[in-house]
């Protein structure tokens, strides 16, 4: 389905957001009727969440104080707070971090508060589960797909690619003197790993066997897109934001990216775009993409009564109507499958990602807290291959041998 998007008026200024972690340290001195929530929301998203927090706190007979912090330093601070008994009452974590924090004993099982995740895709449950118990639940999730310039594909007489062979052919056909056929992130960070995972996993490769033939084939595909000029060699330096900027500037006809970019795409003057799930190795194969999203948890603060209220609060925050509100405001997908289907009926672009998250996989599903090591190995191999330092097979063999 094709849609033309025009520029929209400037949004009203977002409310100021507290970015300091110091406010978290006084959690232990909070009033008995106040829940302290620590999340990683930006200035844009914070007002959406604060409205939901206020409503849910009132529903459980409490007040709420929200601290919005940068995610980069959160884990070290949380571990320190756990040892000093100054954890907040409710804590938001990026889903790959839930198992690490749960393994430290800092979190309480959500089942203690009647939260089971019924109706949520298995990937969402896996992402919040440690040692058989659910510790985190994400109200909205995301993954990645293939965005494309609809006008460019029409002019080239192409349909959106569905297989790897079609992707290579389309990327080559769409490449011109002033435009690459495709853009993606292959940076030396977890973003580079995130964008390579759908190709690895959909081909049957796993992070536990990185030098397998299936893993080599996946890296060879991405390497070939750069080698034949369909993608810029600069992808090794591009973040996902950079990729979106390249697409908006008309420097790429297709891009691998996530639904969080939809607000900027919608605002682009005259851009005619659409999205489809990422291509799979062969017709009939199942797409297995990584699952993104932040999970709400209830830390073990040593105050059973307040923890029970915090559990009620989390149960409210992740409710269906609140999922829709968060998803609309952030360019995300409601985690509950039935609510996600409702969102898809009103937004065809969201529908692409609703389909993808139903089979998406939690990054920690296989290796648990050891996931960061594998993620580092994956982006290291990709960097080695795409910079022609080593072949894809050599690069993967190298990292697979690392402890």
């Amino acid at each position: 389905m094709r849609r033309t998007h025009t520029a929209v008026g400037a949004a009203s200024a977002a409310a100021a957001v507290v970015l300091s972690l110091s406010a978290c340290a006084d959690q232990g001195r909070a009033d008995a009727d106040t829940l302290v929530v620590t999340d990683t929301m930006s200035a844009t998203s914070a007002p959406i969440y604060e409205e939901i927090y206020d409503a849910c706190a009132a529903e459980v007979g409490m007040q709420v104080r929200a601290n919005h912090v940068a995610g980069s330093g959160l884990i070290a601070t949380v571990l320190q707070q756990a040892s000093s008994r100054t954890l907040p009452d409710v804590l938001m974590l990026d889903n790959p971090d839930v198992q690490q924090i749960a393994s430290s004993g800092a979190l309480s099982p959500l089942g203690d508060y009647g939260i089971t995740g019924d109706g949520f895709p298995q990937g969402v449950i896996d992402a919040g589960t440690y040692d058989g118990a659910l510790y985190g639940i994400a109200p909205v999730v995301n993954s990645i797909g293939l965005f494309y310039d609809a006008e460019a594909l029409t002019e080239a007489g192409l349909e959106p690619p569905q297989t790897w062979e079609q992707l290579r052919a389309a990327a080559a056909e769409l490449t011109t003197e002033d435009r690459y056929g495709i853009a993606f992130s292959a940076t030396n960070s977890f973003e580079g790993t995130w964008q390579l995972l759908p190709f690895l996993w959909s081909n049957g490769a796993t992070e536990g066997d990185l030098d397998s033939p299936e893993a080599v084939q996946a890296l060879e595909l991405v390497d070939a897109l750069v080698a034949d000029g369909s993608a810029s060699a600069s992808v090794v330096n591009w973040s996902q934001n950079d990729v979106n900027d390249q697409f908006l500037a008309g420097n790429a006809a297709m891009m691998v990216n996530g639904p969080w970019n939809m607000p900027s795409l919608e605002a682009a003057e005259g851009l005619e775009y659409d999205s489809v799930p990422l291509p799979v190795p062969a017709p009939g194969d199942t797409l297995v993409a990584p699952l993104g999203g932040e999970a709400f948890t209830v830390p073990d603060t040593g105050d059973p009564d307040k923890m029970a209220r915090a559990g009620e609060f989390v149960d409210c925050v992740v409710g269906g109507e609140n999922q829709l509100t968060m998803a609309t405001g952030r360019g995300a997908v409601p985690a509950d499958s039935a609510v996600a289907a409702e969102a898809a009926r009103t937004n065809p672009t969201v529908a692409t990602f609703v389909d993808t998250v139903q089979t998406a996989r939690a990054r920690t599903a296989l290796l648990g807290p050891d996931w960061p090591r594998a993620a580092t190995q994956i982006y290291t191999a990709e960097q080695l291959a795409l910079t022609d330092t080593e072949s894809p097979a050599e690069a993967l063999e190298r990292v697979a041998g690392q402890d």
Side-chain angles (χ1 to χ4, degrees):
M1 179 177 180
R2 182 186 300 181
R3 297 172 305 285
T4 300
H5 306 280
T6 56
V8 296
S12 57
V17 177
V18 178
L19 294 177
S20 171
L21 282 169
S22 61
C24 302
D26 67 357
Q27 184 274 333
R29 297 189 295 275
D31 294 337
D33 64 349
T34 299
L35 292 174
V36 176
V37 179
T38 295
D39 65 27
T40 57
M41 289 298 96
S42 66
T44 302
S45 301
I48 300 169
Y49 279 66
E50 287 179 349
E51 185 174 346
I52 292 171
Y53 293 165
D54 288 340
C56 287
E59 185 173 308
V60 301
M62 298 286 281
Q63 297 180 356
V64 64
R65 187 174 78 235
N67 299 316
H68 311 299
V69 306
S72 57
L74 182 60
I75 300 306
T77 301
V78 168
L79 292 172
Q80 182 181 22
Q81 289 175 336
S83 64
S84 61
R85 310 297 291 180
T86 56
L87 286 162
D89 299 300
V90 176
L91 175 65
M92 173 189 281
L93 293 168
D94 193 14
N95 75 65
D97 297 326
V98 171
Q99 294 192 9
Q100 178 187 355
I101 302 303
S103 69
S104 75
L107 305 178
S108 60
L110 295 182
D112 290 353
Y113 318 111
I115 301 173
T116 64
D118 286 349
F120 287 47
Q122 189 60 45
V124 178
I125 302 303
D126 289 343
T129 297
Y130 171 72
D131 200 21
L134 184 67
Y135 286 91
I137 191 77
V140 293
V141 293
N142 59 63
S143 190
I144 44 179
L146 186 71
F147 289 88
Y148 61 90
D149 183 324
E151 185 176 0
L153 264 70
T154 297
E155 289 177 353
L158 296 172
E159 294 293 328
Q162 298 181 17
T163 65
W164 286 6
E165 182 179 359
Q166 292 171 1
L167 178 65
R168 284 204 62 186
E173 181 70 20
L174 291 165
T175 299
T176 64
E177 290 184 359
D178 57 359
R179 183 189 68 199
Y180 288 100
I182 190 169
F184 53 87
S185 172
T187 186
N188 59 337
S189 72
F190 288 175
E191 287 192 21
T193 297
W194 163 269
Q195 291 224 336
L196 184 60
L197 286 176
F199 300 101
L200 289 168
W201 286 347
S202 298
N203 201 41
T206 73
E207 56 272 35
D209 188 14
L210 285 177
D211 57 352
S212 68
E214 292 81 8
V216 172
Q217 290 168 359
L219 186 52
E220 285 176 341
L221 169 72
V222 175
D223 184 54
L225 291 170
V226 173
D228 69 13
S230 297
S232 170
S234 296
V235 296
V236 295
N237 299 314
W238 286 350
S239 69
Q240 293 181 113
N241 285 338
D242 295 329
V243 170
N244 190 54
D245 289 342
Q246 293 293 323
F247 184 73
L248 286 170
N251 296 330
M254 300 184 292
M255 72 166 175
V256 177
N257 228 318
W260 56 85
N261 292 298
M262 288 192 293
S264 64
L265 296 174
E266 293 284 339
E269 182 69 40
L271 175 62
E272 206 173 319
Y273 82 93
D274 215 324
S275 67
V276 291
L278 284 171
V280 293
D285 287 348
T286 298
L287 172 63
V288 184
L291 184 77
E294 299 85 12
F296 282 90
T297 71
V298 176
D300 185 352
T301 61
D303 185 339
D305 292 338
K306 212 170 186 188
M307 289 165 62
R309 291 293 185 92
E312 292 178 42
F313 174 86
V314 169
D315 194 32
C316 173
V317 168
V318 303
E321 286 302 316
N322 290 334
Q323 288 184 31
L324 282 173
T325 300
M326 295 176 200
T328 301
R330 296 188 60 197
V333 176
D336 184 280
S337 296
V339 181
E342 180 181 344
R345 285 193 290 270
T346 61
N347 189 329
T349 303
V350 169
T352 290
F353 297 95
V354 169
D355 290 342
T356 297
V357 301
Q358 301 310 306
T359 57
R361 182 181 297 170
R363 282 159 282 177
T364 52
L366 180 63
L367 300 180
D370 291 334
W371 159 251
R373 175 183 56 83
T376 301
Q377 291 174 323
I378 291 169
Y379 72 65
T380 298
E382 187 174 33
Q383 287 267 308
L384 290 170
L386 270 59
T387 57
D388 289 331
T389 304
E390 294 183 344
S391 71
E394 291 168 341
L396 288 167
E397 183 178 6
R398 175 186 294 275
V399 300
Q402 297 173 351
D403 293 329

